[in-house]
Amino acid sequence: MNELRKRARTGNDKVASAPAAEAPELPKLAGDAAATKIAELQAELEAIKQSHEAVVDKLNAKVDALQAENETQKCEMKGLNSALQWAYAVEEIPR
C-alpha cells in the first residue's frame, strides 16, 4: 500500500487506487420495521439538528461579544495613542 501511495505522490502514469472500505452489512428490515426505524432515525436527526443549532447560536453570541469587546479595546487604544502622541509632541513654552 505504501508503494501505491509513493507512486501516486510522485505522479507516475499508473494511478494508485486503494480498495474502497466496504460498508458494514445492515440487517434487512421488512415494511413496518423499516418504517419505524426510519421514523426513529429522522427523529434522532432532528434532535441532533436542534442541538447543533443551539450550540451554533451560543458560539455566535460569544463571537459577537468578543467582537464588541475588541472594538471597545480598539477605541481605547486609539485614545491612548493619541494621548501619547500629544504628550510627546508638545513644544516647550517659551519663557
Side-chain angles (χ1 to χ4, degrees):
M1 186 138 126
N2 289 336
E3 177 85 13
L4 293 175
R5 287 183 183 171
K6 286 179 185 175
R7 276 192 233 140
R9 228 181 302 138
T10 58
N12 288 346
D13 293 337
K14 294 182 181 179
V15 176
S17 62
E22 292 184 26
E25 280 278 329
L26 296 176
K28 303 281 186 210
L29 299 175
D32 289 340
T36 303
K37 187 65 174 176
I38 289 171
E40 289 173 0
L41 291 173
Q42 286 176 338
E44 183 181 348
L45 179 61
E46 192 60 36
I48 290 171
K49 281 182 182 179
Q50 289 176 358
S51 172
H52 179 270
E53 287 176 11
V55 169
V56 168
D57 290 343
K58 185 177 178 181
L59 290 173
N60 282 336
K62 284 183 180 181
V63 166
D64 291 342
L66 288 171
Q67 286 176 337
E69 182 181 350
N70 186 32
E71 288 301 317
T72 301
Q73 289 177 349
K74 278 184 185 178
C75 291
E76 186 178 338
M77 285 177 52
K78 190 174 181 180
L80 292 172
N81 282 335
S82 295
L84 282 173
Q85 287 176 355
W86 178 84
Y88 286 110
V90 175
E91 297 178 15
E92 290 186 25
I93 298 172
R95 295 178 193 206

